[in-house]
Amino acid sequence: MNQDSITNNLKSDSLYLPLYVFKDTTASADSVSDLMFDDYVIKILNDSFPTLNVKPSLLKEKTYIHNRDMVLKPINKSNQSMDWMFLAVVLIFVHIAILFKFFRYRSWEIIRGCFSVKSFEVLSKSSNNIILPAALPFFPLIALLAYFAIEYFEVPLNLGYDIPSIYIYLALLLGVVVVFGVKFFSIHFLCSLFRGKNISRLYLINQLTFFFLEALTLLFPIIFAIFSPSHIQYHSLILSVGLFGILSLFRVIRGLYLVFNFSKFSRVYLFCYLCIVEFLPLLFIVKVLFLK
């Protein structure tokens, strides 16, 4: 038999199409035309599988924390290293740790003098020679707090060029030392002028003992404010500034109490003098920062 004489009686290959692919002629034209793709897919899946349960999407309906104080801030493009802040904190902590390691009794004697008048009298008559070294951490801590406040509130310091952050901190540290140095010198000079060296000595010892107490109290809040997440830095900063204000006020009241009890001068004169020395600089700072 020749190959050409063979007849092909096989049916042509055809693609099997399920019934749901064909158009439903029984349905109205509107229902077919309005059938969207997602509805079509859901209908087919419902015919083949158990009925789907539609649930709210997590991408559309989700719970989140809303904070009205959160604001968008541009990313700081400066490449200034902030490692010096960590180094400053470590040096302050090491200084305080050395005091409590090798001068534990004298350190606790200074702290007790901040709360007890009798302990303060004993401290003022004793040869406690670590009062000044114990007060030293106060100055870099306050400068660090001032720098962090300037950095957080983005206070402009435009001098025509980008100032390195460590230079700003060193300038603030120098300013803090100068302010308190001028204050101590004025107190000592005026008390010496009116022959009140003993009163000047008691008042300055009270200042230095409270500097040590404030350094111990503010160390961890300031560290937490600097290295905490951005959304709680504001509250940490307010806590640190509030503690500093309360301790400073308590230091001034304690100084007035000691001066009034150990002096023979007019209390009105001493009150006016100490108000000028203590409260006037604070009022000036408040005026510059908040009252424009």
Side-chain angles (χ1 to χ4, degrees):
M1 183 182 292
N2 294 330
Q3 186 176 3
D4 294 338
S5 64
I6 298 175
T7 58
N8 187 6
N9 295 323
L10 298 177
K11 295 181 179 180
S12 61
D13 295 335
S14 61
L15 179 63
Y16 172 75
L17 297 176
L19 294 177
Y20 51 76
V21 175
F22 294 98
K23 182 178 180 181
D24 188 4
T25 57
T26 61
S28 62
D30 296 336
S31 62
V32 175
S33 60
D34 294 337
L35 186 65
M36 305 300 293
F37 177 76
D38 54 351
D39 298 329
Y40 172 76
V41 172
I42 293 174
K43 182 179 182 303
I44 298 304
L45 293 177
N46 289 335
D47 294 340
S48 304
F49 299 98
T51 306
L52 297 176
N53 295 323
V54 180
K55 295 182 179 180
S57 174
L58 293 177
L59 299 177
K60 296 181 179 180
E61 299 181 8
K62 59 182 179 180
T63 58
Y64 59 93
I65 300 175
H66 177 67
N67 187 358
R68 296 181 179 179
D69 298 330
M70 295 176 63
V71 294
L72 295 176
K73 291 185 177 181
I75 299 177
N76 188 10
K77 297 182 180 180
S78 63
N79 295 323
Q80 298 183 9
S81 176
M82 305 299 291
D83 295 339
W84 62 266
M85 298 180 68
F86 179 76
L87 180 61
V89 170
V90 170
L91 291 178
I92 294 171
F93 185 81
V94 169
H95 182 88
I96 296 175
I98 291 175
L99 291 177
F100 279 98
K101 176 64 177 179
F102 298 101
F103 307 98
R104 183 178 303 175
Y105 175 78
R106 294 183 179 182
S107 299
W108 284 111
E109 185 181 19
I110 295 174
I111 296 175
R112 288 194 298 268
C114 298
F115 300 98
S116 174
V117 177
K118 293 183 179 180
S119 299
F120 181 81
E121 292 180 359
V122 174
L123 176 65
S124 62
K125 296 177 182 178
S126 63
S127 58
N128 193 332
N129 53 3
I130 70 163
I131 296 179
L132 183 58
L136 290 179
F138 170 81
F139 301 101
L141 269 178
I142 298 304
L144 197 61
L145 179 62
Y147 172 80
F148 179 71
I150 292 175
E151 188 73 15
Y152 182 83
F153 292 107
E154 298 180 354
V155 178
L157 298 174
N158 297 325
L159 297 178
Y161 58 93
D162 191 11
I163 306 175
S165 57
I166 189 172
Y167 290 169
I168 299 176
Y169 172 74
L170 292 176
L172 291 173
L173 177 59
L174 180 61
V176 171
V177 173
V178 169
V179 168
F180 283 97
V182 171
K183 173 182 164 182
F184 288 171
F185 176 78
S186 62
I187 292 174
H188 180 72
F189 175 76
L190 293 176
C191 288
S192 300
L193 187 64
F194 293 97
R195 298 179 181 180
K197 292 184 178 181
N198 187 32
I199 300 174
S200 172
R201 179 174 176 273
L202 291 177
Y203 192 80
L204 294 180
I205 290 176
N206 175 72
Q207 295 279 316
L208 295 177
T209 54
F210 268 91
F211 284 173
F212 183 50
L213 178 64
E214 292 181 34
L216 295 177
T217 307
L218 295 175
L219 177 61
F220 291 102
I222 292 177
I223 293 176
F224 185 75
I226 294 174
F227 300 104
S228 60
S230 58
H231 63 279
I232 59 176
Q233 282 184 342
Y234 175 77
H235 304 284
S236 304
L237 178 61
I238 294 300
L239 175 63
S240 302
V241 174
L243 287 175
F244 174 68
I246 293 173
L247 291 173
S248 299
L249 182 62
F250 187 57
R251 167 166 46 89
V252 173
I253 295 174
R254 176 67 180 277
L256 293 174
Y257 176 79
L258 294 175
V259 168
F260 288 162
N261 283 273
F262 290 97
S263 65
K264 298 180 181 179
F265 296 105
S266 172
R267 296 189 176 185
V268 176
Y269 161 75
L270 289 174
F271 179 78
C272 295
Y273 162 69
L274 292 175
C275 282
I276 294 174
V277 174
E278 295 287 355
F279 293 110
L280 188 60
L282 294 178
L283 294 177
F284 177 76
I285 293 174
V286 172
K287 174 67 170 60
V288 171
L289 294 179
F290 300 103
L291 302 177
K292 296 182 181 181

